[in-house]
Amino acid sequence: MTRPPAAVLLVACLAVVTTVAGLAFAWSTRPGSPAATGSEPPRDELRCGAEACRPVVEQRVGPDSVALLVGSGVGRIRASGASGPNVFELTIAASGAEITERSLQCVDAEVGVCLVRGEVGSEVRGEVLVRRSGAWSRAQVPYVSSGGHLGLHDVNRDAVADVVAVQRECPAGVDCAERFAQVFSLVDGGDELGCTAVVEAPELLPGWPAVVPDAADLGPCGG
């Protein structure tokens, strides 16, 4: 049998390669493929230490959203809105605070406020984000409660949520039932607004377990 000339074999091979390449191109440009849309395959947007961040809880604050993400002992707070995505370090996660679906409390108003809190031993530690004119920023004051509650409530009724921290009225390292509420404003640098009178049990604080004192309940702290 006569063998086909080398040129014929070369042409046949090129035809096969061209056909395979054409099929591959058609597959890559099918509707919805990365090449057809001009986008890369999805990647992890955010990393928490050595692993991808894991979402824990998210809340809407008007048109914005605030989410807590954790992983490898590292945490992030992601605030998304008209000003674009903003990512802040979750500092209480680095201190060992337990972050759960109950760790986020937000109040929507002209000045939006979100409190992130978590338990570390017998304390509740927290940090705050504030939205003014559509932009989120971190309040620089860290908050600590030794008495089992850290939350938001507009105590002085200025339309900006205040931070309410319940404290134990006993020496450090000693457990006792006596409690009082300490209140901080998020206006003008986070000044202390005052404290409630000491009560004999936390259940006697106004609104316990979500403590909601009135401005009239406050007096000088340490008095």
Side-chain angles (χ1 to χ4, degrees):
M1 179 181 295
T2 303
R3 294 182 180 179
V8 174
L9 290 175
L10 177 61
V11 171
C13 290
L14 288 175
V16 171
V17 170
T18 302
T19 301
V20 171
L23 290 172
F25 177 77
W27 175 258
S28 67
T29 55
R30 72 194 188 283
S33 69
T37 60
S39 63
E40 294 292 330
R43 297 178 180 177
D44 294 328
E45 294 182 356
L46 212 55
R47 299 197 69 81
C48 293
E51 63 184 70
C53 292
R54 182 181 74 257
V56 177
V57 62
E58 183 173 0
Q59 287 190 20
R60 299 294 303 181
V61 189
D64 299 350
S65 66
V66 175
L68 305 185
L69 308 103
V70 298
S72 298
V74 178
R76 311 285 185 212
I77 310 170
R78 182 175 60 202
S80 304
S83 62
N86 294 275
V87 178
F88 303 87
E89 181 184 359
L90 185 53
T91 59
I92 62 171
S95 70
E98 182 183 6
I99 306 302
T100 71
E101 66 278 0
R102 296 179 297 174
S103 292
L104 182 61
Q105 180 188 5
C106 295
V107 174
D108 183 29
E110 183 175 351
V111 176
V113 177
C114 283
L115 168 68
V116 185
R117 58 202 172 187
E119 294 183 4
V120 182
S122 61
E123 295 181 341
V124 182
R125 299 182 186 178
E127 56 193 293
V128 170
L129 294 184
V130 180
R131 182 193 62 198
R132 292 184 175 91
S133 302
W136 288 95
S137 62
R138 183 197 297 277
Q140 296 303 315
V141 180
Y143 300 95
V144 178
S145 163
S146 64
H149 173 76
L150 191 62
L152 297 175
H153 176 60
D154 185 6
V155 177
N156 59 0
R157 301 188 182 182
D158 63 352
V160 180
D162 305 301
V163 176
V164 179
V166 172
Q167 312 293 3
R168 295 181 302 171
E169 180 61 18
C170 50
V174 177
D175 194 13
C176 61
E178 289 81 3
R179 299 286 193 275
F180 66 93
Q182 185 180 21
V183 181
F184 299 89
S185 171
L186 292 172
V187 178
D188 299 329
D191 292 338
E192 188 178 70
L193 288 180
C195 293
T196 65
V198 177
V199 295
E200 295 181 354
E203 293 80 9
L204 299 176
L205 290 169
W208 179 267
V211 180
V212 288
D214 191 83
D217 299 327
L218 302 182
C221 295

